[in-house]
Amino acid sequence: MDGDLGDFLRSRRARIRPEEVGLPSHGRRRVPGLRREEVAQLAGVSVDYYIRLEQGRGPAVSDAVLDAVARVLRLDDTEHAYLHAVARPRRPAERRGAPRVRTGVQLLLDSMERTPAFVLDVRMDVLAWNAAADAVFGYSRADSDGRNIPRHVFLDPGSRDFYPEWSAVAVQCVAHLRNLAGHHQDDRRLTALVGELSLKSDDFRRLWADHPVRECAYGVKRVRHPVAGLLTLPYETLTISEDTNQTLLVYTPEPGSETAERLALLGSWASAPGVPERTERTERA
């Protein structure tokens, strides 16, 4: 995604006031935040070098320079890692066909009978799920577009009812997708997804332009299920070993809570005979 590095650095310069870093404001400025010259001075590099970095013309930039810029712009750990990723894109990886979920992973999912869990790829496509997740999110009844989380959030009108805190979910979704995009710039389908959402959703386009970057490793999400009602779902994410492009997301409601009781009822329904197949592409042994 051309221009990501420069846009990201400019967005982070804009949020820092000169006086916060010990510089005089010099009165009214044409743009908010730090000037490029000031970032270069504070990072200990030449102005020309920093300008070339913002323009994406610094492929040989060192860790030390990137770390200095991150310090000046007060990047958090996720933003710092994102800066390194977009400043030095990886070579395109060899593609080996459609992503597959190992049989053992599906068995692990199915063993969590009362805990919704599913596997995501770098495009936030849901590749596999268990019965409890199906009961909550209806993945077996959705097409491939409906099993892509950003498409569901921004292109499905029903998502605003499904997520009572839709605005927060939307920001989180964009921040996570941008973080993934920064680390997988060679993924053409991911680039195409961002382009599609930018064309079809004003909300996505506005949020994407703000350059939020976040790693959603854990948190809490609330959904309004049409049958079970309001569910409060803490979640944890785990990277699946031997395949860093797949992530296991597990919802972990507090035992004995109202949400846990409602999930147990949904789980009983989902485990009844006739429930559809719960995975799209599972590698068979």
Side-chain angles (χ1 to χ4, degrees):
M1 280 160 265
D2 294 339
D4 274 2
L5 175 59
D7 291 343
F8 176 68
L9 290 173
R10 284 188 288 273
S11 72
R12 294 316 186 258
R13 282 198 287 117
R15 70 183 184 181
I16 299 177
R17 298 193 304 272
E19 53 269 27
E20 291 181 302
V21 292
L23 293 174
S25 62
H26 295 301
R28 187 173 182 179
R29 294 183 170 220
R30 290 184 300 171
V31 294
L34 297 178
R35 299 187 178 101
R36 290 180 297 186
E37 296 83 354
E38 292 167 336
V39 175
Q41 175 189 344
L42 292 169
V45 299
S46 70
V47 175
D48 180 66
Y49 189 96
Y50 180 77
I51 290 174
R52 284 189 286 115
L53 177 61
E54 274 205 5
Q55 293 174 342
R57 295 189 290 121
V61 60
S62 68
D63 286 346
V65 169
L66 292 176
D67 292 346
V69 171
R71 172 181 52 78
V72 171
L73 298 180
R74 299 184 176 184
L75 304 186
D76 62 26
D77 291 343
T78 301
E79 292 171 326
H80 193 163
Y82 178 84
L83 174 62
H84 277 261
V86 295
R88 293 189 303 218
R90 300 182 305 178
R91 291 184 177 182
E94 180 183 355
R95 298 302 174 195
R96 299 182 179 179
R100 291 182 176 274
V101 175
R102 296 197 310 273
T103 302
V105 174
Q106 182 65 59
L107 291 173
L108 174 64
L109 290 172
D110 291 338
S111 71
M112 294 184 277
E113 297 180 356
R114 295 293 183 265
T115 304
F118 50 81
V119 175
L120 288 170
D121 66 8
V122 298
R123 292 172 290 277
M124 299 176 72
D125 284 325
V126 178
L127 302 180
W129 55 90
N130 63 7
D134 199 23
V136 175
F137 299 102
Y139 290 132
S140 65
R141 300 184 298 277
D143 59 16
S144 58
D145 284 353
R147 291 194 293 267
N148 177 266
I149 292 178
R151 285 194 182 100
H152 171 66
V153 170
F154 289 98
L155 302 184
D156 184 348
S159 70
R160 294 175 184 266
D161 292 327
F162 187 71
Y163 297 112
E165 297 163 346
W166 184 88
S167 295
V169 170
V171 172
Q172 181 187 65
C173 182
V174 170
H176 186 51
L177 187 65
R178 182 171 275 287
N179 188 43
L180 291 170
H183 289 276
H184 299 276
Q185 296 181 66
D186 60 313
D187 192 309
R188 295 181 179 179
R189 289 177 59 196
L190 178 52
T191 301
L193 173 64
V194 171
E196 175 193 353
L197 294 170
S198 298
L199 287 173
K200 295 181 178 179
S201 170
D202 292 339
D203 290 310
F204 179 88
R205 186 167 56 252
R206 173 180 53 80
L207 291 172
W208 189 260
D210 289 340
H211 283 77
V213 177
R214 189 182 309 167
E215 183 180 17
C216 298
Y218 59 90
V220 178
K221 189 167 291 183
R222 284 159 38 103
V223 303
R224 183 180 290 113
H225 192 273
V227 175
L230 187 64
L231 303 174
T232 300
L233 299 169
Y235 65 87
E236 298 285 341
T237 61
L238 302 169
T239 299
I240 297 175
S241 62
E242 299 181 6
D243 190 345
T244 57
N245 291 337
Q246 292 183 3
T247 301
L248 176 66
L249 192 150
V250 183
Y251 288 102
T252 55
E254 183 178 351
S257 66
E258 187 175 21
T259 291
E261 294 175 357
R262 292 178 176 182
L263 284 176
L265 292 175
L266 284 175
S268 299
W269 169 83
S271 62
V275 173
E277 178 67 26
R278 296 187 296 276
T279 181
E280 179 183 13
R281 288 189 294 267
T282 301
E283 183 180 15
R284 300 300 178 186

